[in-house]
Amino acid sequence: MQRLPDTHRPTDDRHCEWRAIEGCLTVNGSPLGELLQQRGSPCYVYSRERIDARIAEVRAALPRATELLYPVKANPLPALLEHMVGRVDGFDIASGGELARALASGMAGERLSFAGPGKTDDELAQAAAAGALIVLESAGEAQRLARIAGALRPRVALRINPPFDLAPAAAQMAGGARKFGVDSEQAPQALGEIGRLPLAFEGFHCYPGSQCLDAAAIIETQRKTLDLAAGLAAFAPAPTRLLNLGGGLGVPCFAGEVPLDLARLGRAMHELADQAGARLPGARLTLELGRFLVAEAGLYVCRVIERKSSRGKTFLIVDGGLHHHWHATGALEGRRHLHFPIAALCGRDARPAAGELERVTVAGPLCAPHDVFAQDIELARAEPGDLIVVFQSGAYGATASPAGFLGRAPAGEVLL
Amino acid sequence: MQRLPDTHRPTDDRHCEWRAIEGCLTVNGSPLGELLQQRGSPCYVYSRERIDARIAEVRAALPRATELLYPVKANPLPALLEHMVGRVDGFDIASGGELARALASGMAGERLSFAGPGKTDDELAQAAAAGALIVLESAGEAQRLARIAGALRPRVALRINPPFDLAPAAAQMAGGARKFGVDSEQAPQALGEIGRLPLAFEGFHCYPGSQCLDAAAIIETQRKTLDLAAGLAAFAPAPTRLLNLGGGLGVPCFAGEVPLDLARLGRAMHELADQAGARLPGARLTLELGRFLVAEAGLYVCRVIERKSSRGKTFLIVDGGLHHHWHATGALEGRRHLHFPIAALCGRDARPAAGELERVTVAGPLCAPHDVFAQDIELARAEPGDLIVVFQSGAYGATASPAGFLGRAPAGEVLL
């Protein structure tokens, strides 16, 4: 296995290395250069093998009974959803559109969990008809659901907005005043209302934050979440059969970031499962893992159109940009000078160039100054026609980007 | 005419007022409430009348010979492009996709100007075949175009990266090292190369910045651009028949912003036109106006799904969000607590509510904490079913947003 020459990888690059055979970067045996010749550029390439390896790693680390939900929003490619059926225990969905995609993939309606504020009446009706678990975000939503679909006695969980957050997470989803869930101090009252409605209460949902690399912080919020749920269970109209702990397990994307210590999290979750067994007997623990399962299984590959110099700086203008892969341009987090791990593959056989490094800015073709994948980084020298690979690109890529901007074609997507 | 009750408008709200008849907000005679009943929510609503009024205002202020190009990227809705044909002098396009849309709208190929770094070989060939003016971003692109389409002797302009920027603009597009254009100090050499190639040189293009409300700053960069072009004309292989000054004319979006002083800019451009007549005889002056022509002619309208309270704050959860109107959620500029002008229209006839104000956060339905249109603002009290209107929404809306995110339906779009 050949190490990629890029010097700007996250600290531990074990997840950034892709199998290299005879110097060619390959995905499940297909050399990337050939693949791009066939598929056209730019293209997202996802590896079933890598997804499976990650799921196996997670299953091995976590208590056996942990339920794994895959959030469709992370990557809703139909082939990828079909691949996930049977490999995860269910899907988290966030809209009527995701419900339709999930059912089309072959996932059973009973294995779907529908969270999100602002569900419409139609969405609630469809989810109830499909037998999905509906994660209620407010007492008002409980009343609306009962009015619309009470005859079906829909399965529900209550999402709690806890008094704590997941501080090291890139995106805070809980604590303070939130659009998500019911404030924990209001939860007893909401549980009372749910009990008076024709709804089948199953348990609790709590999602403190997203994209966190700090296992200790995740463990801490999981423990607090169990405490909270165990306290609220006394007010619930039925035994608590479910505690959805959310997700938050991040992947390293930027230089200096250290991968999450999954082994440590797994050990703590074994303890947590023991405690849950005593405090919430019969309740299953659920995790929602999107980015953690698929981000590192995906590459985004684009082609250099032109090299140009401007006032002492070298620019590689590529045929992909923020319209395909918005997160990798740093727009979301305002991290303008950070960048995803990136490499140049050169020549007809798209080898990772081993020689000369140069300082370059990799920019997309849009008439937007922030359409930049990496600014002033060291990269193997690349010429027009050579490939640029952005790693950690399997989640929140194509569908999380303004694909229609500037009338450009969408990126290809292939699961190998 | 009734003033909207929202207290968070830009300082001068003349562009935020829409015609109100008997208390109903209407667009070209159609009450918004009825329109949304027919069209469904959320929906972008654009007014031909307002676009025409703005074009007339611009034509009246600027020298008569100023060429107005509309950049398709600002709003590529087919009906809107068709409306623009005959009202502006041409379109600025930025991709092969925009070329196709422009031609489909009925705009003549000769009236198109194609700028942007990273044009592909196919795009260059298509643009040359259509007779478009191709704005070259580098000497390398000139060589590529000549190789691909030299037999057609394509019409070209040279984009200059000047040594100056447009400092008060929200987006800097020039000055320093840039992916855009040829550094001014390299331009004589690039002009020499263009002269040796089978290309029909027409003039210069310079785009210092975007979304600027400071007329004096725009005037200053226009003067500097004329100086630069007049100096470079001596190196050009043919007489300069075109000086594209870019655009940059902004619209007020956030509280405290003052509309651009168009009259002042117009007076200065009359002087500039006189100077250009002497220094670049026979050259036409061109402006690219996208946001300035259409932003204030558009509304984004969504519906309140739920009111909820969390730890002392009131949230209005609406059925639209950042997947439809990313810029209005402040994501691009990192302006998390600023917001576009916004109003609540209440009741069956969607009247601007005149009474009670309350402090609310208006948030979309996505499982993303930054999916927020306005945070902690004063707004007329709105109930589920009432409409929320976001003004200044005619540009960089639907196509500049991650429409596929979370599998939600796209917003409707209607030009009245």
Side-chain angles (χ1 to χ4, degrees):
Chain A
M1 186 175 297
Q2 180 175 334
R3 290 174 72 87
L4 294 173
D6 172 30
T7 54
H8 289 255
R9 288 171 294 209
T11 306
D12 177 341
D13 60 2
R14 68 197 158 112
H15 300 307
C16 306
E17 276 181 30
W18 285 66
R19 191 147 49 107
I21 298 171
E22 298 176 348
C24 298
L25 198 71
T26 67
V27 179
N28 299 6
S30 302
L32 211 49
E34 284 178 23
L35 195 66
L36 267 281
Q37 286 292 348
Q38 294 159 18
R39 293 273 172 174
S41 165
C43 192
Y44 280 97
V45 184
Y46 314 116
S47 160
R48 293 174 200 270
E49 208 173 76
R50 287 195 155 244
I51 293 170
D52 292 350
R54 175 52 68 95
I55 292 172
E57 195 184 358
V58 169
R59 295 275 194 204
L62 301 187
R64 205 155 54 92
T66 310
E67 183 184 55
L68 284 191
L69 299 186
Y70 172 71
V72 168
K73 65 173 84 64
N75 188 331
L77 187 75
L80 193 146
L81 296 183
E82 286 164 24
H83 183 73
M84 286 297 195
V85 175
R87 287 179 169 81
V88 295
D89 304 306
F91 289 162
D92 162 70
I93 55 172
S95 70
E98 288 192 354
L99 171 65
R101 283 202 170 197
L103 294 173
S105 76
M107 184 62 84
E110 296 71 28
R111 293 185 173 275
L112 303 179
S113 172
F114 185 13
K119 302 179 192 82
T120 64
D121 288 1
D122 283 350
E123 287 175 328
L124 289 171
Q126 290 156 15
L133 177 77
I134 296 171
V135 179
L136 298 171
E137 304 268 349
S138 70
E141 195 172 74
Q143 289 153 5
R144 213 149 44 90
L145 176 62
R147 197 174 63 235
I148 293 162
L152 298 170
R153 202 174 163 79
R155 298 162 54 219
V156 301
L158 184 63
R159 181 170 183 169
I160 306 295
N161 178 28
F164 51 83
D165 61 11
L166 178 55
Q172 303 294 328
M173 308 280 280
R178 290 281 167 186
K179 71 174 182 177
F180 301 115
V182 172
D183 298 344
S184 46
E185 56 274 27
Q186 302 296 330
Q189 192 184 337
L191 289 164
E193 287 187 51
I194 289 170
R196 290 187 288 276
L197 295 167
L199 303 172
F201 176 82
E202 297 203 353
F204 297 99
H205 179 287
C206 185
Y207 201 106
S210 188
Q211 173 64 351
C212 179
L213 295 170
D214 181 342
I218 294 173
I219 293 163
E220 173 73 12
T221 59
Q222 288 183 343
R223 287 182 184 145
K224 288 182 183 169
T225 301
L226 174 59
D227 284 346
L228 199 53
L232 291 173
F235 300 93
T240 297
R241 297 165 50 199
L242 159 73
L243 176 56
N244 186 326
L245 297 161
L249 284 67
V251 300
C253 290
F254 302 115
E257 288 188 343
V258 176
L260 181 78
D261 187 343
L262 181 63
R264 180 174 174 186
L265 180 67
R267 287 192 299 274
M269 281 198 70
H270 276 90
E271 284 176 35
L272 193 79
D274 290 343
Q275 293 167 19
R279 302 179 67 188
L280 291 174
R284 67 186 187 279
L285 297 182
T286 299
L287 282 186
E288 296 178 4
L289 298 186
R291 196 191 313 259
F292 196 70
L293 296 189
V294 300
E296 296 181 329
L299 304 172
Y300 173 71
V301 192
C302 54
R303 200 176 285 282
V304 177
I305 293 182
E306 188 173 327
R307 288 176 61 87
K308 67 187 284 187
S309 295
S310 172
R311 299 191 175 125
K313 293 199 175 185
T314 300
F315 290 79
L316 298 178
I317 311 290
V318 295
D319 62 359
L322 68 83
H323 55 303
H324 293 159
H325 200 357
W326 181 43
H327 284 215
T329 60
L332 183 62
E333 316 294 349
R335 293 162 162 164
R336 290 295 160 85
H337 296 281
L338 298 180
H339 61 90
F340 277 34
I342 191 167
L345 304 184
C346 303
R348 271 192 54 196
D349 50 0
R351 290 168 187 271
E356 180 193 357
L357 292 179
E358 62 175 355
R359 190 157 284 275
V360 294
T361 290
V362 182
L366 302 194
C367 296
H370 49 285
D371 181 32
V372 168
F373 283 119
Q375 193 152 339
D376 291 328
I377 62 159
E378 283 202 328
L379 201 70
R381 185 183 167 94
E383 302 291 339
D386 289 342
L387 299 180
I388 298 292
V389 181
V390 180
F391 295 85
Q392 315 296 74
S393 297
Y396 300 106
T399 59
S401 303
F405 198 38
L406 268 62
R408 305 191 82 88
E413 291 188 88
V414 55
L415 176 70
L416 293 179
Chain B
M1 183 175 302
Q2 180 174 336
R3 289 174 74 88
L4 294 173
D6 172 31
T7 55
H8 289 256
R9 287 171 294 209
T11 306
D12 176 341
D13 61 3
R14 68 196 158 112
H15 300 307
C16 304
E17 276 181 31
W18 284 67
R19 193 148 47 108
I21 298 171
E22 297 176 350
C24 298
L25 199 71
T26 66
V27 179
N28 298 6
S30 303
L32 211 50
E34 284 179 23
L35 195 65
L36 267 281
Q37 286 292 350
Q38 294 159 16
R39 294 274 173 173
S41 165
C43 192
Y44 280 98
V45 184
Y46 314 116
S47 159
R48 292 174 201 269
E49 207 173 74
R50 286 195 157 245
I51 294 171
D52 292 351
R54 175 53 68 94
I55 293 173
E57 194 184 0
V58 168
R59 295 278 194 201
L62 300 187
R64 204 154 55 92
T66 309
E67 184 184 54
L68 284 192
L69 298 186
Y70 173 71
V72 169
K73 66 173 82 66
N75 188 330
L77 187 75
L80 193 146
L81 296 183
E82 286 164 23
H83 183 73
M84 286 297 196
V85 175
R87 288 178 167 80
V88 296
D89 304 305
F91 288 162
D92 162 70
I93 55 173
S95 71
E98 288 192 352
L99 171 64
R101 283 203 169 196
L103 294 174
S105 75
M107 185 62 82
E110 296 72 27
R111 293 185 174 277
L112 303 179
S113 172
F114 185 12
K119 301 179 194 83
T120 65
D121 288 2
D122 283 351
E123 287 175 328
L124 289 171
Q126 289 157 15
L133 178 76
I134 296 171
V135 178
L136 298 170
E137 303 267 349
S138 70
E141 195 172 74
Q143 288 153 6
R144 214 150 42 90
L145 175 62
R147 197 175 65 238
I148 293 162
L152 297 171
R153 201 173 165 79
R155 298 161 54 219
V156 300
L158 184 63
R159 181 170 183 171
I160 306 295
N161 178 28
F164 52 82
D165 61 12
L166 177 56
Q172 302 295 327
M173 308 280 281
R178 291 281 166 185
K179 70 174 182 178
F180 300 116
V182 172
D183 298 343
S184 46
E185 56 274 26
Q186 302 295 329
Q189 194 183 336
L191 289 165
E193 287 187 50
I194 290 170
R196 289 187 288 277
L197 294 167
L199 302 173
F201 175 83
E202 296 203 352
F204 297 99
H205 179 286
C206 185
Y207 201 104
S210 187
Q211 174 63 353
C212 180
L213 295 170
D214 181 342
I218 294 173
I219 293 164
E220 174 73 12
T221 60
Q222 289 183 344
R223 287 181 183 145
K224 287 181 182 169
T225 301
L226 174 59
D227 284 346
L228 198 54
L232 290 173
F235 300 94
T240 297
R241 296 165 49 198
L242 159 73
L243 177 55
N244 186 326
L245 297 160
L249 285 66
V251 300
C253 289
F254 303 114
E257 289 187 344
V258 176
L260 181 78
D261 186 344
L262 182 63
R264 179 175 174 186
L265 180 66
R267 287 192 299 274
M269 281 197 70
H270 276 90
E271 283 175 36
L272 193 80
D274 290 344
Q275 292 166 22
R279 300 178 68 187
L280 290 175
R284 68 187 187 276
L285 296 183
T286 299
L287 282 187
E288 296 178 2
L289 298 187
R291 195 191 314 258
F292 196 69
L293 297 189
V294 300
E296 297 181 329
L299 304 173
Y300 174 72
V301 192
C302 54
R303 199 176 287 281
V304 177
I305 294 183
E306 188 173 328
R307 288 175 62 88
K308 69 187 282 187
S309 295
S310 173
R311 301 196 171 119
K313 293 198 174 185
T314 301
F315 290 78
L316 299 178
I317 310 291
V318 294
D319 62 359
L322 69 81
H323 55 303
H324 292 159
H325 201 359
W326 180 45
H327 284 217
T329 60
L332 182 63
E333 317 292 350
R335 293 163 163 165
R336 290 295 160 86
H337 296 281
L338 297 180
H339 61 90
F340 278 33
I342 192 167
L345 303 185
C346 302
R348 271 191 55 195
D349 50 358
R351 289 169 188 271
E356 182 192 357
L357 291 180
E358 64 176 354
R359 190 158 286 274
V360 294
T361 290
V362 181
L366 300 194
C367 297
H370 48 286
D371 181 32
V372 168
F373 283 120
Q375 193 153 339
D376 291 328
I377 62 160
E378 283 202 328
L379 201 70
R381 186 182 166 94
E383 301 291 338
D386 289 342
L387 299 180
I388 298 292
V389 181
V390 180
F391 294 85
Q392 317 294 74
S393 295
Y396 300 106
T399 59
S401 303
F405 197 37
L406 268 62
R408 305 191 82 87
E413 293 189 87
V414 55
L415 176 69
L416 294 179

